Amino acid sequence: MRAFALGLWGAVLLQSSLSGRLDLLLRGVFHPLVGLSGVALLVLAGLLLRDQESPPPGRRQTIPKTWWMSAAVALLVLAIPPNPSFSNLAANRPAELGEEAELSFVLPPAQRSLTDWVRLLRSQPDPNLYAGDPVRISGFVWPQQGDSPQLARLLVRCCLADATPVGLPVRWPAGRPPQADQWLAVQGTMAVEDRNGQNRSVVVAERITPIPRPKRPLEP
Amino acid sequence: MTGTGQRITLVLAAGLALALLQQQLLLRRLPRLLELEPSSASSGPASLDLRFSRPMLRSSLVSSSRMEPPLAWKWLGDGNPLRLLLLPGQTIPGPLRLLLAGVDRRDLPLGRQQWLWDPRPHLLAVVPVAGGEQLQLQRRDGSWKALTPVWPQLTQVQPLGNGAGVALLSGDGKGSHRLWLLPLQQNNLVREPRRLSDPLAGQLQPLNDEALLFAHLSSNRRGDLLVQSSTTALDPGSTILRTAQGRQWPLPHAASGPMQLLPEGGGVVVPELEGLTLHNLPGQPSRRQLLPGSRELSSFCPVSGRALLVRHWPDYRRSLELVEPGQPPRQLWIGGEAVLASSCDRGGDRVWLVVSNWEQGSQPQLLALDRRGQLLQQRSLTGWEVEPGAPMLFDPTRQQLLLTLRSGSSHAQPVLVNATSLTLLPLGKPVRLALWLAAG
């Protein structure tokens, strides 16, 4: 049973690496580590199986319940693909970006990603500098309490556990409230709006296109 | 418990106690101002970037901080870093005293501190003196101070965009030139009790070993310097980028005219035979964007990505165009006159240009346009000539333009122009070229 459980977990790690499941959980740079761990577990399971001695006749070997439970969980992980709600996660994570590299204006506005925009607005927080700039971004819909939903991305250094949400306020067309977690590509222009007496940059959405979740939705 | 077990428990407990102590100390540590520096880009006359050790409560900074004289200003940003922006539409009459106070998000107070800040640029001039020319700087009290020795010629002067120095091309009057860098120490932002003072010139540094036939200089707000130069008439020349940190990069671009660094940094505009191209600077992914047509770069606007171009038409007319990100160039003015100089405020909200019509006796005209090209003001510069090659430079801190104008056969002089009324204020100082030195 131990060999079976270890083998199952090895298969889980290997299958997650090969099928792209890990893209939802972990930065790509760590994927080979997970794959290698899966191979190591499979090898370990094989060695255990080889060295296993059959119990004496008439005596049953007792297997702790934890091994059964572990094997059941591995089977469930194999059977049910992960489908994380990024907006739920974003709502429960601090949005502090920390110290990041200096970002220059040199990238043309229409080529800036959502993350580029958020970093630029943070390092140069003067909304009037960007008013009228074309915007072409994509991300998932992140509902906000007392405000219209933002378009957001998750930044990760390692995995979902350290995910930091970054979002841009969007002025959505009237009568078409976007659904939480929906992935959208938004084209529009940057504008300045007054919110609670403070100016802030807001994307005036002119063209909204639903898109499938990107293969690698987490950004470094 | 064995002796080893006790020792392990003791070590673990000591580590835990140390971590708790550190946590409590950090929890009670007051917020500090880590950095205060002028912003590289601003939508107002000037702004400061502040970085704190902890995210601050912006509302407390709003209510507790003060400025004298009481100009209109606001805080931008969310917690940390923050930007103090002087609101557009006002001029800065003199040095500002800034009292900084507030609390962080834990309600712990920032130590009150007073800063003196003078964001107004200094006036630099190439002054004809006995034996040649010299670079001089106008002090705040209006007097002039020599910054360099006297050379037979001072062919080019390029203040670094961050105000940390001036690049100079001196000539011996026989076609041979030398390139120099004059470092300047500025004291335009100091914490009291230190006082503001005029820039102090450092040791003049030669930037090249051999004599040059010509050189063209350009700088950006980071303080990078671009040098296009050639040593002989047959030498195709070379282009070197000297970064503010002292690194040097050769640029491979073949240009059909003078290159210009983007003011915000990161890129260079290269005139090529097929049009104007924009290239990334070394250290970034290679990129080339082309704007075809017979155009030349006239001036950059303070807001990123905006610039004024002069377009030459086949029927010898010229037009002034405003370039904005993601949009085709927008024509603001067209005519048969030559465009001698241009300048703009913010993202092209207001544009000034000096035009001159040879057929009408070369009397220059100063025009003020809005961003749609509508004429707002016009002033004839009768009796004045624009000094060849001298730019028109806008000072957003005092809402004034700087021109180098010559009246009759006398020497040229710096002339300040009120950007709204277009009234002229000649300074009466004989110069060959007048420029602003950014307050660093």
Side-chain angles (χ1 to χ4, degrees), chain A residues 96 99 102 104-109 111-112 122-129 131-134 197-199, chain B residues 40 42-43 51 58 74-77 80-81 83 85 105 222 264 266-267 280 284 287 303-304 306 325-326:
Chain A
E96 292 293 336
E99 298 292 327
E102 183 192 354
S104 75
F105 285 99
V106 73
L107 209 58
Q111 290 178 27
R112 289 178 197 144
R122 188 170 181 271
S123 65
Q124 302 275 351
D126 189 345
N128 286 310
L129 292 177
D133 280 1
Q198 292 292 336
N199 283 356
Chain B
S40 58
S42 169
S43 65
R51 197 165 63 84
R58 193 167 61 179
K74 66 159 55 177
W75 290 99
L76 299 171
N80 195 22
R83 175 167 292 188
L85 173 73
R105 289 179 182 167
R222 295 177 180 179
E264 58 271 20
N280 276 358
Q284 300 170 59
R287 182 171 62 95
V303 170
S304 163
R306 277 80 171 169

Side-chain angles (χ1 to χ4, degrees), chain B residues 298-315:
Chain B
S298 183
S299 56
F300 287 109
C301 299
V303 170
S304 163
R306 277 80 171 169
L308 294 173
L309 308 179
V310 173
R311 184 173 187 183
H312 299 269
W313 293 84
D315 58 1

Side-chain angles (χ1 to χ4, degrees), chain A residues 31 42 48 50 68 109 112 127 143 146-147 159 185 192 204 219:
Chain A
H31 290 190
L42 282 171
L48 272 177
R50 194 190 65 184
W68 288 107
R112 289 178 197 144
D147 196 2
C159 44
V192 183
V204 180
E219 294 201 343

Side-chain angles (χ1 to χ4, degrees), chain B residues 179 237 355:
Chain B
L179 193 58
V355 296

Side-chain angles (χ1 to χ4, degrees), chain A residues 111-150:
Chain A
Q111 290 178 27
R112 289 178 197 144
S113 69
L114 188 147
T115 314
D116 291 335
W117 271 111
V118 172
R119 288 192 165 133
L120 188 59
L121 293 173
R122 188 170 181 271
S123 65
Q124 302 275 351
D126 189 345
N128 286 310
L129 292 177
Y130 318 101
D133 280 1
V135 179
R136 214 175 277 176
I137 52 174
S138 64
F140 63 89
V141 177
W142 181 20
Q144 302 288 306
Q145 269 197 334
D147 196 2
S148 61
Q150 295 189 354

Side-chain angles (χ1 to χ4, degrees), chain B residues 165-222:
Chain B
V166 185
L168 306 153
L169 188 69
S170 67
D172 61 2
K174 298 169 192 164
S176 181
H177 298 88
R178 291 267 175 195
L179 193 58
W180 307 89
L181 179 67
L182 178 69
L184 291 173
Q185 188 193 334
Q186 296 221 35
N187 293 295
N188 294 312
L189 179 62
V190 295
R191 186 170 179 181
E192 289 195 308
R194 283 182 62 204
R195 314 301 303 170
L196 297 170
S197 62
D198 292 311
L200 292 173
Q203 189 76 34
L204 201 58
Q205 301 166 4
L207 287 186
N208 67 317
D209 299 327
E210 49 189 346
L212 299 174
L213 184 66
F214 83 90
H216 171 75
L217 309 172
S218 175
S219 182
N220 59 25
R221 290 191 207 117
R222 295 177 180 179

